[in-house]
Amino acid sequence: MTFLTTITSSIGLCLQAGITFWLQAHFFSHRFNRRLAVLSGMILYLTVSMAASYTLARQGWYLLYSILRQGSLILLLILYFQGRLWHRASLAAILCASSEFADNALVEMLSLVCMFLPAKWQTFSVLFIDLFYPVATLFLWYAFRHMHLRPDIFTRQICQLLFYTMCGLMLLTDIVYHGITHGIIMISHTGQPEVFNPYTSELLTYTECIILSLLSLSMALCLPAALNKIMYKTLSEQIQRTQIAHYQTLLEEHQRQVSLRHDLKNHLLVLEGLTQQGELEKISEYLKAMCQETYKTTGNIHTGSLTADALIDIKEQAALSKDISFTWEISLPKHLSMEDFDLCILLGNLLDNSIQAAGGIPDEKERRIFLQAKPVKRNLLIEIENTVAKESAPPHFGTEHYGTGLQNVKHIIEKYNGVMDISSDTSRFCVSILLPVYDTMQTI
């Protein structure tokens, strides 16, 4: 029986590690070969768990055994994947905690049922207990599939909250189970122990453990789901506000152009009259006034998208108004595989950030922005580089430094399965974006 118990325990632990690795891989990429990562992770987790079981659990140190086993799984889920540290850590803690709570609930339910079975059936229940780990993690797969969890939209503070909450819940559960395994008796206020017959005490203990496990499991699943829904709604509202702001700018410029064209006939009549009178100075002043009312352009911008044309023109004028040198090289595909709304958000946010950063440089000669967009094989490369003041150079990239603008940009990039690279030093900041484009490329 001991040999069979060891085999079932090993199978259960390996399947638990394999399924949690598979779930983590749905959100983060492996650091190396996927199969090798899963296999080595299962072996390491099994080795640590079995070693801790023989050295700690069998000696009565259940609390240390649980902490070591759970901590090793979280650590492996963090180390074997790429991405932001706190995003990996929070999801690893959620997966580990949910798996533990689901397994505890199933085990306690089985133990409670076994109380009413004949003694010969209770012996075989030990073989099924360790196999509840993969059953619990399969339940998690079903739950996470319907939660539509997006840990990438969580802020660092939310990730820290989730990580510490999940670890705290697991520690609380471990302490409770440690007390149960050591047979702690509740003492009443009169100093006398609460005396129950063994059958009643066992029944109450299993019931309490089931309730605790179900409550902890509900919190482990509902808290991330609620935060995910809030963040997704917030992000959608931010994107919508950004869209409205950019299109309002385009609408205002369009209305200004319509107004100018409407008054053009009257302006031409005035200029004709001044020409007949030979008032050259007045003609010059009148033309300057007209130029101030209209929209200045530094060149003909034809990107293949009217939205991008108008937006880049507007941002170029905003840069020139702050004495920022704005240069661009644009060669877009004939048909972009992305909506104008998304292109507007992408370019608008990046150019706004660049103008703000470059405009903060005291020396006007050092204010520069360079925008380029060109096809690279079957992808579209968008790169925006700007100079920054040395004292305000960002130490690293994050929403706490850049607000929601680049967070919206990241959402668009992920929507089209693209990648973004951020590079910076003491005097420059560069954002490079690579988007898959499957339509026919045509250089303009």
Side-chain angles (χ1 to χ4, degrees):
M1 183 61 68
T2 303
F3 176 75
L4 290 177
T5 303
T6 303
I7 294 298
T8 55
S9 177
S10 301
I11 294 174
L13 292 171
C14 286
L15 290 176
Q16 180 198 19
I19 295 173
T20 51
F21 266 75
W22 182 80
L23 285 171
Q24 186 88 332
H26 271 63
F27 302 96
F28 304 100
S29 58
H30 291 89
R31 292 188 180 275
F32 40 93
N33 181 269
R34 181 176 181 178
R35 293 183 180 178
L36 179 61
V38 174
L39 182 60
S40 60
M42 292 169 59
I43 294 175
L44 286 174
Y45 177 61
L46 176 62
T47 302
V48 173
S49 299
M50 297 303 293
S53 176
Y54 279 97
T55 59
L56 296 176
R58 293 193 176 186
Q59 301 298 325
W61 297 96
Y62 174 83
L63 181 61
L64 292 179
Y65 161 72
S66 298
I67 293 175
L68 182 60
R69 180 174 55 80
Q70 296 162 2
S72 63
L73 180 58
I74 293 176
L75 185 62
L76 289 172
L77 290 173
I78 295 174
L79 295 178
Y80 274 51
F81 293 89
Q82 298 177 345
R84 293 189 183 180
L85 174 61
W86 282 109
H87 288 79
R88 287 178 287 147
S90 61
L91 184 60
I94 292 171
L95 292 174
C96 184
S98 302
S99 176
E100 289 292 321
F101 300 148
D103 178 71
N104 290 340
L106 292 173
V107 169
E108 298 305 328
M109 289 178 184
L110 176 63
S111 301
L112 183 62
V113 171
C114 289
M115 290 182 58
F116 303 96
L117 297 177
K120 61 179 181 179
W121 291 101
Q122 296 181 12
T123 305
F124 293 97
S125 65
V126 179
L127 298 176
F128 295 98
I129 287 178
D130 292 317
L131 292 178
F132 277 174
Y133 277 115
V135 175
T137 46
L138 283 174
F139 164 77
L140 291 183
W141 172 82
Y142 177 82
F144 276 85
R145 183 180 178 182
H146 289 78
M147 283 169 59
H148 302 291
L149 194 64
R150 287 282 307 276
D152 56 295
I153 66 177
F154 291 161
T155 63
R156 181 177 180 179
Q157 290 76 13
I158 290 180
C159 290
Q160 291 175 341
L161 171 65
L162 289 173
F163 177 79
Y164 292 126
T165 300
M166 296 301 113
C167 291
L169 284 174
M170 283 190 290
L171 181 60
L172 174 63
T173 305
D174 292 340
I175 292 174
V176 171
Y177 276 85
H178 180 70
I180 293 172
T181 56
H182 282 70
I184 296 176
I185 301 176
M186 296 296 295
I187 305 298
S188 67
H189 67 280
T190 60
Q192 300 297 327
E194 297 288 351
V195 179
F196 295 103
N197 62 71
Y199 185 84
T200 304
S201 297
E202 187 176 2
L203 180 63
L204 291 175
T205 300
Y206 286 140
T207 304
E208 292 167 357
C209 291
I210 291 173
I211 294 174
L212 174 63
S213 300
L214 291 177
L215 288 175
S216 299
L217 178 62
S218 299
M219 188 171 182
L221 293 178
C222 293
L223 181 59
L227 292 174
N228 182 76
K229 188 174 182 180
I230 293 172
M231 289 300 299
Y232 191 83
K233 183 177 180 181
T234 302
L235 184 60
S236 299
E237 291 176 350
Q238 292 169 353
I239 292 175
Q240 186 178 13
R241 286 196 298 267
T242 304
Q243 290 176 344
I244 293 173
H246 285 310
Y247 275 91
Q248 282 179 341
T249 303
L250 296 176
L251 180 60
E252 290 173 0
E253 181 57 37
H254 175 71
Q255 291 174 343
R256 196 158 45 244
Q257 296 294 326
V258 170
S259 177
L260 177 63
R261 287 194 297 269
H262 181 268
D263 296 334
L264 185 59
K265 181 178 180 181
N266 295 329
H267 290 313
L268 292 176
L269 291 175
V270 173
L271 290 172
E272 182 182 9
L274 293 175
T275 302
Q276 292 175 355
Q277 296 174 10
E279 300 287 347
L280 297 181
E281 293 183 1
K282 290 185 178 181
I283 292 175
S284 178
E285 293 176 359
Y286 197 88
L287 289 174
K288 288 180 180 179
M290 286 183 62
C291 290
Q292 291 176 356
E293 290 295 327
T294 188
Y295 171 67
K296 298 186 225 177
T297 58
T298 57
N300 293 323
I301 299 180
H302 301 287
T303 65
S305 168
L306 296 177
T307 301
D309 294 347
L311 181 66
I312 294 174
D313 264 347
I314 292 171
K315 299 306 179 184
E316 183 178 24
Q317 298 313 305
L320 294 176
S321 67
K322 295 185 177 182
D323 297 318
I324 300 174
S325 173
F326 186 95
T327 56
W328 50 269
E329 295 179 3
I330 301 176
S331 178
L332 292 180
K334 182 178 181 180
H335 300 289
L336 276 175
S337 58
M338 66 185 305
E339 299 176 2
D340 285 344
F341 287 104
D342 297 333
L343 181 63
C344 185
I345 292 173
L346 193 69
L347 294 175
N349 279 295
L350 293 176
L351 288 173
D352 285 341
N353 290 341
S354 298
I355 293 171
Q356 183 179 2
I361 301 177
D363 189 357
E364 297 179 359
K365 296 180 180 179
E366 297 297 325
R367 300 175 184 174
R368 294 187 299 273
I369 295 177
F370 174 69
L371 166 66
Q372 72 166 339
K374 62 181 180 180
V376 177
K377 294 184 179 179
R378 295 182 62 83
N379 300 283
L380 175 66
L381 173 66
I382 300 176
E383 190 171 72
I384 298 181
E385 180 178 335
N386 61 270
T387 53
V388 294
K390 293 183 179 180
E391 60 273 11
S392 64
H396 59 277
F397 170 65
T399 56
E400 60 269 22
H401 294 279
Y402 300 94
T404 60
L406 283 182
Q407 190 71 16
N408 294 340
V409 171
K410 285 186 61 182
H411 178 76
I412 299 300
I413 295 171
E414 291 166 359
K415 177 180 177 180
Y416 293 95
N417 299 318
V419 294
M420 177 172 64
D421 179 68
I422 307 291
S423 60
S424 63
D425 53 35
T426 57
S427 61
R428 57 174 289 278
F429 185 83
C430 181
V431 179
S432 300
I433 298 172
L434 198 63
L435 297 172
V437 179
Y438 302 103
D439 297 332
T440 305
M441 296 288 188
Q442 177 175 334
T443 303
I444 299 177

